[in-house]
Amino acid sequence: MVEVSLSSLEDRDVKAHFHSQTNPKNLAENGPIAIARGDGPYVVDNHGNRFIDAMAGLWCASLGFSNARLAQAASRQYETMGFYHTFFNRTHGPVVELAEKLLDLTEMRDGKVYFATSGSEANETMVKLSWLYHAERGKPSKRKVIARQKSFHGSTIAASSMCGLPHIHRGFGLPLSGFIHTSAPYSYRGKLEGENESEFVARLCQELENLILREGPDTIAAFIAEPIQAGGGIIPPPQGYFEGIQRILLKYDVLALADEIVCGFGRTGSWFGKDTVGYKPDMVALSKGLSAGHFPISAVVVTDEVYRAAYRYNENGGNFSHGFTNSGHPVGAAVALEAIKIYREMDVVQHVRQIGARLRGHLDEIARGSSIIGDVRGEGLMLAVELVEDKAKKTPFAPSMTVGSRLDKIAYANGLVIRCMGDTIGFSPALNIDSSQADEIAEKVGKSIADLERQLL
Ligand SMILES: Cc1ncc(COP(=O)(O)O)c(C=O)c1O
């Protein structure tokens, strides 16, 4: 292990803290980046350096890293009741009000809302509910879940199994059997030579149908999709994709699950990604933007039909035997209610459309002047650029060049936090950034790309 000089907090971190999604050797050699405080969409590190975080942390701090109203909402609820649970018929005001709001916002008004703590738990819950749903309808063999390559659904065992990213499976012996994958709707790289968008969609739909037929329709419980794939490289579906997919799901009695953990609450320029892409799911998983990242809370909105299955299954006694200690935590619910109130007041949908278009315009302009940006894509404030060696041929850089992570480091030196997903760079800033902050992000992206291009010469 290389000796480096570390400040006391950083030194203690390396000694005591087992980080998520971090290379242990890199951490041991280079130490952590300690962030001391938030200031709206900015963060300040332990050395006083200030960064605009164009990823809202992990796609979640939708109202910035410090927000007095969210803090006050939490504080008020802590003073009234800092914990109660929702097992054994218990409930409380904030959780009821939040459930009503979520049914209304998702336009699934006949449904019900189940609460959990993390995105992974929400996705796991959707899998278990899919199994229960089919079992109750006399189809217990319908157990398999189809997810898509390049998807990210979380880190618990079923959620990891649904991920379509090999590095999430590596070392853990995953995916579990029964979790299978179909292609991502990745237009930039997935289309065949001469194939147009509708032919591409038709091919993806055929692939899904073939997979269902090969596995046996009586074995398939559910299909899960992020409306716009996030961690796999910000991949918006081509026109008509979800319509086509949904026809196949209906034909084979397969439940449609939406992982809205990143896309929900305005991120894509609609309240939910499902509305942006035309997906009509049976269950919707929400987290991140739900509390603007200020409290760990997640939710699953289910249709009445799914809820009825749980009802009938347990009609003769016995509980719906699933639940988390913090399901429907009152402080989380209070923070989420305040976040939703703020989204409404700021007209999050219009604001994201407007600021998103502005940032997108800047990125398009940077791409036009750059020799290494092959694609600009995304919706609302969920945008990406893909770096390539040759724009005309879409030739990727050799992975050993680690171009994406080099840009990540350069951007950091320029006061900008971005997210590299291979050589795709993601932007998912706080939704309440203003025009000048969008311009600042773009200006720093432009400078960082130019710095990288000079390095690559
Ligand atoms: C689309 C998506 N689903 C699920 C998750 C998992 O959420 P959590 O980390 O809260 O378990 C994430 C996390 O980034 C995500 O991006």
Side-chain angles (χ1 to χ4, degrees), residues 84-92 95:
Y84 215 75
H85 65 85
T86 56
F87 287 29
F88 320 131
N89 299 26
R90 306 300 196 272
T91 195
H92 50 78
V95 83

Side-chain angles (χ1 to χ4, degrees), residues 303-320:
T303 58
D304 182 53
E305 215 193 331
V306 171
Y307 181 72
R308 288 280 133 209
Y311 186 99
R312 281 193 301 268
Y313 194 81
N314 298 296
E315 210 166 12
N316 297 322
N319 290 335
F320 168 57

Side-chain angles (χ1 to χ4, degrees), residues 157-186:
I157 292 171
S160 301
S161 294
M162 292 191 286
C163 292
L165 298 166
H167 68 271
I168 300 292
H169 299 151
R170 195 178 69 92
F172 299 118
L174 295 172
L176 290 183
S177 76
F179 292 88
I180 51 183
H181 297 84
T182 190
S183 291
Y186 185 13

Side-chain angles (χ1 to χ4, degrees), residues 58-59 117-123 151-156 159 226 228-231 259-263 287-288 297-298 419:
L58 294 173
W59 328 76
T117 318
S118 67
S120 303
E121 288 169 355
N123 283 334
S151 61
F152 184 76
H153 297 296
S155 295
T156 48
E226 300 157 80
I228 294 179
Q229 290 185 284
D259 176 343
E260 290 266 8
I261 286 154
V262 167
C263 295
S287 191
K288 299 198 189 262
I297 180 171
S298 62
R419 165 87 168 256

Side-chain angles (χ1 to χ4, degrees), residues 18 36 76 80 82 93 110 116 120 126 136 150 160 166 222 233 266 297 317 323 335 342 377:
F18 193 156
R76 277 194 303 273
T80 316
D110 294 338
S120 303
M126 295 202 295
E136 194 283 327
K150 293 192 162 288
S160 301
I297 180 171
V335 172
I342 299 172
R377 56 179 181 262

Side-chain angles (χ1 to χ4, degrees), residues 291-357:
S291 64
H294 285 233
F295 197 91
I297 180 171
S298 62
V300 181
V301 187
V302 306
T303 58
D304 182 53
E305 215 193 331
V306 171
Y307 181 72
R308 288 280 133 209
Y311 186 99
R312 281 193 301 268
Y313 194 81
N314 298 296
E315 210 166 12
N316 297 322
N319 290 335
F320 168 57
S321 294
H322 178 74
F324 305 97
T325 301
N326 291 307
S327 287
H329 194 290
V331 179
V335 172
L337 284 167
E338 189 66 18
I340 291 169
K341 201 165 164 199
I342 299 172
Y343 295 141
R344 281 202 157 124
E345 283 169 16
M346 67 184 266
D347 193 352
V348 68
V349 167
Q350 284 315 316
H351 182 78
V352 167
R353 285 184 187 174
Q354 190 200 329
I355 299 292

